[in-house]
Amino acid sequence: MSGGIEHGMDQQVIRNFCIIAHIDHGKSTLADRLLERTGTVSPREMQEQFLDDMDLEREKGVTIKASAVRLLYDAADGQTYELNLIDTPGHVDFSYEVSRALAACEGAVLVVDASQGIEAQTLANLYMALDQGLEIVAVVNKIDLMSARTEEVVQELDDLLGIPAEGVIRASAKVRVGVGEVLEAVVARVPSPRGQPELPLRALIFDSHYDLYKGVIAYVRVVDGAIRSGQPLMLLSSGRRLEPLEIGIFRPRMEPVEALTAGEVGYVATGLKMVGECRVGDTLTLADDPAPTALPDYRPAKPMVFAGLYPTEGEDYKLLREALEKLQLNDASLSFQPETSQALGFGYRCGFLGLFHMEIIQERLEREYDLDIIFTSPSVQYQVTKTGGTEMVIDSPAGLPPENEIVEIREPWMEIQVFTPADYIGPVMELVTKRRGEFERMEYLDRRRVLLTYQIPLTEVIVDFHDQLKSRTRGYASMDYHLSGYRPGDLVKLDVLVNKQPVDALSVIVHRDQAYQRGQKLVSKMKQIIPRQLFDVPIQAAIGNRVLSRANVKAKRKDVLAKCYGGDITRKRKLLERQKAGKKRMKMVGQVEIPQEAFMSVLRLGED
């Protein structure tokens, strides 16, 4: 439909909106129904979770990347509207993706599951939308379920968020109920864009992906002015000029057009080959008539969790770099820099938004780029004050200075909000207290549900906290977290020595009170994992020179006494002594291969 009805469309008939919800509340299904209802996708092409085109998204049932699509909708008032839908992720680790999508919209459809009600991420995403000044259209989804509490959830929305009950749409995307009402509400309630078509071009880059033939494809929302094909463009932050190869819209496949005007959403094929050049949050303008000021930038994504990535084969190092660069383009929140490890050789230190984000990146590297990689145990960023008064920031235990040079170590603390049925308050409190959490407040949302707020160190949250929370509450609890600041703590570096050699990739920073217990767990885990050698292998956990725990992996032994039957004991002793001397000599030159599971086991040291 290039150059058809939608181009040069008056801003009055454009609506830019996104769908926000907690993970698994039916957001992608609702997006499917909207595509179907507006005839954007033919029934022949239609498939479940149409906008989630990554295999991983389908398998895990979550949206990982934001995606955009243009719908043409013939409304009840006889007018044809151009609706730009930006589908957003729901998992707490991908809230950065949500914040970028929200900046490109004027409205948000808030989807709440009729059986589960409001959950932590529902609130987190909603507050983000309200901060951006978006108009909210509330939808209670899955009303066809046996367990649906539709009217209770509608009342919850009224009580908690002040959304009047009569304005809430009752729908079930699965059985196609209420889809028309959602579209009509978007047209009626979401304001049209207020861009200035006559001003110099300012377009917000809210996402991007890499295309082998067209280079970096920037997803843009035109705020002022217009982009026309053939005009040279410029990135305002870097001053980088580019000649766009193509401009177009998503219907939902990419479709070239002649122009994108103020208020519209589309893409620009920049032809850029360097992945770092087209930064998400940047402003695109005309090279010959640049805008004087950039659009308000997003806060850049702040990595929370850091881990080392190493190729199992040294020669894959270059391939790993290329893969990370390409992933970084599709995922602006991923950061990485080179690092070396005595145990693992050359690799990269990567920053992630959370553990789920790290797991997704690991799977994408292994599947999409066919790489075999080792991840070290995750760490967070610490602020360290040294004896001379100098300050430093470290994100790896290897970067921690010797204990005698440290005055203070500060660790990040999070404010977490846990929504849970009242029956599980005890188990949740026990879990948080065990993880050094500090209770702040408790609010009853209704007779059955409670909101608990805690302060807790980030290190205690990143590994298996979410799994433990789900298992203790039978999957009913949900949580959201954000950084509340840094606090000093009595923290020490726990080293693991294998055959008296420290393995830097296994080091962790822990609270002194937990060091002994953590060291014991680490050592006993290593003892099970490290294969037996031809000599005894001692495994030790130590803080500085003080060994906290030790275990030995026994040597494989040949039965040297098999040929001795009868005879003097001294003959047997001589054979055993000779074997012992051989083992001792072997131990001095022997190298112990540490399997991948050893590095992974450090992640699983939570609660057995």
Side-chain angles (χ1 to χ4, degrees):
M1 286 191 62
S2 115
I5 180 172
E6 64 242 285
H7 295 298
M9 249 192 173
D10 179 14
Q11 285 191 77
Q12 295 306 313
V13 294
I14 297 175
R15 300 287 184 271
N16 297 322
F17 72 103
C18 57
I19 304 179
I20 54 176
H22 187 82
I23 186 170
D24 200 28
H25 277 209
K27 184 163 37 65
S28 296
T29 311
L30 180 61
D32 287 350
R33 295 293 90 83
L34 297 179
L35 291 175
E36 207 174 70
R37 182 66 182 258
T38 54
T40 309
V41 180
S42 68
R44 188 172 54 81
E45 288 181 295
M46 195 65 204
Q47 56 175 343
E48 290 290 305
Q49 294 171 270
F50 191 89
L51 295 178
D52 291 348
D53 52 4
M54 229 188 279
D55 288 344
L56 266 179
E57 291 183 311
R58 293 173 178 284
E59 271 173 41
K60 293 185 181 290
V62 297
T63 303
I64 294 165
K65 277 201 57 59
S67 53
V69 63
R70 174 175 295 193
L71 320 169
L72 286 182
Y73 175 58
D74 298 321
D77 61 7
Q79 178 74 55
T80 298
Y81 288 86
E82 175 190 305
L83 309 180
N84 291 306
L85 160 64
I86 294 165
D87 189 23
T88 60
H91 193 280
V92 60
D93 279 6
F94 300 106
S95 53
Y96 176 69
E97 294 268 356
V98 179
S99 75
R100 299 183 320 189
L102 294 177
C105 298
E106 279 80 32
V109 173
L110 173 72
V111 179
V112 182
D113 187 320
S115 60
Q116 291 174 303
I118 293 175
E119 298 202 53
Q121 204 54 34
T122 317
L123 277 188
N125 288 345
L126 176 69
Y127 290 148
M128 228 189 287
L130 293 172
D131 284 348
Q132 302 262 16
L134 269 58
E135 187 62 41
I136 306 296
V137 175
V139 177
V140 172
N141 193 24
K142 305 190 186 182
I143 58 169
D144 60 312
L145 293 181
M146 296 287 285
S147 55
R149 303 179 288 116
T150 309
E151 293 314 311
E152 270 183 60
V153 173
V154 167
Q155 196 53 49
E156 254 181 52
L157 284 166
D158 195 345
D159 297 345
L160 273 181
L161 311 173
I163 297 172
E166 60 276 10
V168 177
I169 297 166
R170 286 109 170 129
S172 171
K174 196 164 190 180
V175 295
R176 297 170 173 75
V177 171
V179 180
E181 285 92 319
V182 173
L183 287 164
E184 285 296 329
V186 167
V187 165
R189 298 189 217 165
V190 174
S192 55
R194 295 191 183 83
Q196 306 291 320
E198 65 286 345
L199 287 181
L201 167 69
R202 291 199 302 170
L204 178 70
I205 300 172
F206 66 86
D207 206 349
S208 58
H209 78 262
Y210 187 77
D211 183 280
L212 229 53
Y213 306 105
K214 298 173 187 171
V216 179
I217 308 270
Y219 295 28
V220 295
R221 152 72 199 271
V222 182
V223 177
D224 298 323
I227 303 177
R228 292 185 173 80
S229 59
Q231 286 182 318
L233 302 174
M234 183 174 84
L235 293 162
L236 261 181
S237 70
S238 61
R240 173 85 157 95
R241 284 175 68 99
L242 54 102
E243 302 277 342
L245 305 179
E246 179 181 297
I247 62 171
I249 56 169
F250 301 97
R251 299 247 325 133
R253 308 275 178 244
M254 285 167 30
E255 190 177 286
V257 295
E258 283 304 306
L260 288 173
T261 56
E264 294 194 305
V265 174
Y267 68 86
V268 176
T270 62
L272 294 174
K273 289 287 180 267
M274 279 297 293
V275 291
E277 288 181 324
C278 186
R279 201 171 58 82
V280 167
D282 204 345
T283 305
L284 205 56
T285 188
L286 295 176
D288 303 329
D289 181 18
T293 56
L295 293 161
D297 196 2
Y298 308 105
R299 50 178 182 76
K302 203 169 172 357
M304 288 289 176
V305 178
F306 297 83
L309 259 77
Y310 295 87
T312 46
E313 301 296 330
E315 57 266 28
D316 287 348
Y317 177 72
K318 193 162 176 283
L319 295 174
L320 178 59
R321 182 180 183 88
E322 286 168 12
L324 284 170
E325 281 182 346
K326 285 180 184 163
L327 276 184
Q328 191 179 39
L329 183 78
N330 288 343
D331 182 350
S333 48
L334 171 70
S335 61
F336 65 92
Q337 61 194 59
E339 76 164 1
T340 51
S341 152
Q342 294 161 346
L344 300 170
F346 291 101
Y348 291 94
R349 190 87 193 153
C350 295
F352 308 97
L353 298 174
L355 219 71
F356 183 65
H357 185 210
M358 174 172 146
E359 187 187 321
I360 294 292
I361 294 293
Q362 183 174 3
E363 291 211 23
R364 288 188 70 183
L365 284 169
E366 286 171 356
R367 285 185 191 193
E368 296 172 29
Y369 301 97
D370 201 21
L371 288 168
D372 202 1
I373 43 183
I374 290 175
F375 269 69
T376 65
S377 60
S379 168
V380 300
Q381 223 166 31
Y382 296 94
Q383 297 174 345
V384 181
T385 307
K386 293 173 73 175
T387 42
T390 52
E391 296 281 336
M392 63 187 292
V393 175
I394 61 151
D395 54 36
S396 156
L400 198 66
E403 210 170 348
N404 58 352
E405 291 178 24
I406 298 171
V407 176
E408 184 179 77
I409 305 176
R410 292 178 298 285
E411 62 179 335
W413 278 65
M414 312 302 282
E415 180 176 278
I416 64 164
Q417 293 183 311
V418 179
F419 281 70
T420 176
D423 305 357
Y424 301 112
I425 293 174
V428 171
M429 285 187 157
E430 185 200 356
L431 171 67
V432 181
T433 317
K434 216 171 175 180
R435 302 289 181 101
R436 297 194 285 140
E438 293 175 2
F439 175 74
E440 272 202 345
R441 60 184 178 276
M442 177 165 83
E443 300 164 50
Y444 273 86
L445 304 175
D446 53 37
R447 291 193 322 280
R448 290 202 298 266
R449 295 175 68 231
V450 179
L451 170 59
L452 298 164
T453 307
Y454 285 93
Q455 294 284 337
I456 187 170
L458 175 58
T459 38
E460 303 289 347
V461 177
I462 59 172
V463 179
D464 63 345
F465 183 85
H466 196 254
D467 297 346
Q468 287 291 327
L469 181 68
K470 287 288 185 194
S471 64
R472 285 170 185 238
T473 60
R474 297 189 185 172
Y476 284 113
S478 65
M479 66 174 257
D480 181 49
Y481 57 83
H482 61 266
L483 186 67
S484 64
Y486 280 78
R487 291 196 206 174
D490 188 7
L491 304 165
V492 290
K493 178 179 162 193
L494 184 67
D495 285 313
V496 176
L497 290 81
V498 176
N499 202 16
K500 302 198 176 155
Q501 293 297 315
V503 181
D504 54 356
L506 290 174
S507 299
V508 284
I509 294 174
V510 295
H511 195 272
R512 198 181 293 274
D513 294 350
Q514 299 173 340
Y516 178 71
Q517 182 196 8
R518 190 83 184 261
Q520 269 194 322
K521 275 189 177 179
L522 253 172
V523 165
S524 51
K525 198 93 173 190
M526 291 295 140
K527 187 182 175 186
Q528 295 164 19
I529 290 169
I530 290 179
R532 289 174 68 184
Q533 312 289 321
L534 292 169
F535 51 90
D536 277 2
V537 178
I539 300 166
Q540 297 160 304
I543 297 173
N545 296 326
R546 189 161 61 93
V547 175
L548 301 183
S549 181
R550 172 184 171 130
N552 274 8
V553 177
K554 285 286 173 208
K556 292 179 182 171
R557 285 179 184 276
K558 183 180 172 188
D559 187 0
V560 290
L561 303 181
K563 59 189 177 191
C564 295
Y565 44 92
D568 187 12
I569 184 70
T570 52
R571 187 167 165 226
K572 291 183 180 177
R573 198 169 285 149
K574 195 193 287 179
L575 284 170
L576 287 170
E577 288 296 330
R578 193 183 299 165
Q579 184 186 40
K580 195 172 169 184
K583 297 276 180 206
K584 196 173 176 183
R585 201 164 50 245
M586 201 180 278
K587 185 174 179 173
M588 289 162 69
V589 294
Q591 286 288 320
V592 181
E593 279 287 312
I594 300 174
Q596 156 83 33
E597 299 94 86
F599 300 100
M600 296 316 291
S601 70
V602 185
L603 308 185
R604 315 262 175 264
L605 271 186
E607 295 170 27
D608 300 324

